[in-house]
Amino acid sequence: MTELINLWVPLLLFGLLATLSPGPNNLLLTLQGANMGFKSAVPFIMGIRVGIIALFVVMASGIAGLLVLELNALVVMKFIGAAYMCWLAYTLIQNKQKQAITGPVNLSFWRGLVAQFVNPKSLLMVMTCISAFSLPTPLYWASVVQACVIFSLAGLCANIVWTLVGVWINRKLATEIAKQRFNHLLAGLTILTVLMLFYD
C-alpha cells in the first residue's frame, strides 16, 4: 500500500504537466468553448475521458509492450495521428465567416472517445504513464488503476481549463474576422504539434 501512496504526488504532477500542454483535444476544446460555450463541450470532454480510460485498459493489457518492440507499428500510428491532426487543422481553416465560425462539426461523446485511439499525444501519454507508474505483480493492476484515476482527474481539470480559456477568448473577440483569425491561430498550433511529433 505504501508503494502505491508514494506514487500519488509524482503521478499527479505528471498528469497535470502532460494534459495541460497543447494537443488536439485541448485545441478542439478551446475552439468549442470559444464558438459554442462550455456546455456544448461537455459531451466531447466525457468522450475524451472514457477514451483515455479505454486506452489504459488496452495498453496495460500488453499492447504498449508490443508497440515498443515493433517500432514500425509505432511509426505507422504516428503518421496516422499526424494525418488526423492535419485534418483538424484543415477543418479550422475551412470555417467560413457565413457559417458563424461554428468549429469542427459534431464534437460528440463518440468522437471524443474514438479520437483518442488516433491521437498520438494521448497514446504516448498513456504509454508513458503506465511505464513510469505501474508496479510489479502483485500490485500491477492496482497501480494501473491508480494511475488511470489520478491521470484522468488531472486530464479532466486540463480539459475544463482549456474550454474555459476558449469561453474567455470568445468574450474578447468582437468581430467574426477576429474569430476567423483565432481559428487560423489554432490551426497553426495544431500543425506545430504535428511537426513536434517528428522532432527527436
Side-chain angles (χ1 to χ4, degrees):
M1 187 66 180
T2 304
E3 295 97 323
L4 292 172
I5 294 173
N6 289 340
L7 294 174
W8 288 2
V9 173
L11 181 53
L12 181 60
L13 290 175
F14 169 79
L16 289 173
L17 289 172
T19 58
L20 281 169
S21 61
N25 293 332
N26 291 335
L27 294 176
L28 281 173
L29 287 170
T30 303
L31 181 68
Q32 189 74 1
N35 294 327
M36 306 293 289
F38 183 83
K39 280 188 177 181
S40 70
V42 170
F44 190 64
I45 291 174
M46 294 300 102
I48 291 171
R49 300 322 331 151
V50 173
I52 292 294
I53 292 170
L55 273 182
F56 263 93
V57 172
V58 171
M59 295 285 188
S61 298
I63 300 300
L66 292 175
L67 288 175
V68 171
L69 291 174
E70 185 50 65
L71 296 178
N72 289 335
L74 198 55
V75 170
V76 169
M77 291 180 71
K78 187 180 285 190
F79 274 101
I80 291 172
Y84 167 71
M85 292 165 71
C86 287
W87 176 79
L88 290 179
Y90 174 77
T91 62
L92 294 174
I93 293 170
Q94 286 301 303
N95 280 325
K96 306 296 184 185
Q97 185 173 346
K98 65 183 180 182
Q99 294 174 319
I101 320 299
T102 56
V105 178
N106 191 26
L107 286 185
S108 64
F109 171 87
W110 292 108
R111 180 172 177 182
L113 191 160
V114 173
Q116 302 321 300
F117 289 86
V118 293
N119 181 347
K121 183 186 174 187
S122 294
L123 291 166
L124 292 173
M125 284 191 308
V126 171
M127 191 184 301
T128 302
C129 189
I130 292 172
S131 300
F133 298 103
S134 62
L135 298 172
T137 306
L139 293 176
Y140 176 72
W141 281 107
S143 62
V144 168
V145 170
Q146 173 179 273
C148 181
V149 169
I150 295 176
F151 184 84
S152 294
L153 289 175
L156 177 61
C157 293
N159 292 159
I160 290 171
V161 166
W162 278 85
T163 308
L164 291 176
V165 166
V167 173
W168 178 81
I169 287 173
N170 183 55
R171 294 173 183 167
K172 303 298 179 183
L173 300 178
T175 66
E176 294 302 318
I177 292 176
K179 291 181 180 181
Q180 271 192 321
R181 289 175 179 167
F182 173 64
N183 282 14
H184 292 168
L185 172 63
L186 289 182
L189 290 174
T190 302
I191 294 297
L192 181 61
T193 60
V194 171
L195 295 176
M196 291 171 63
L197 283 176
F198 299 95
Y199 177 77
D200 292 319

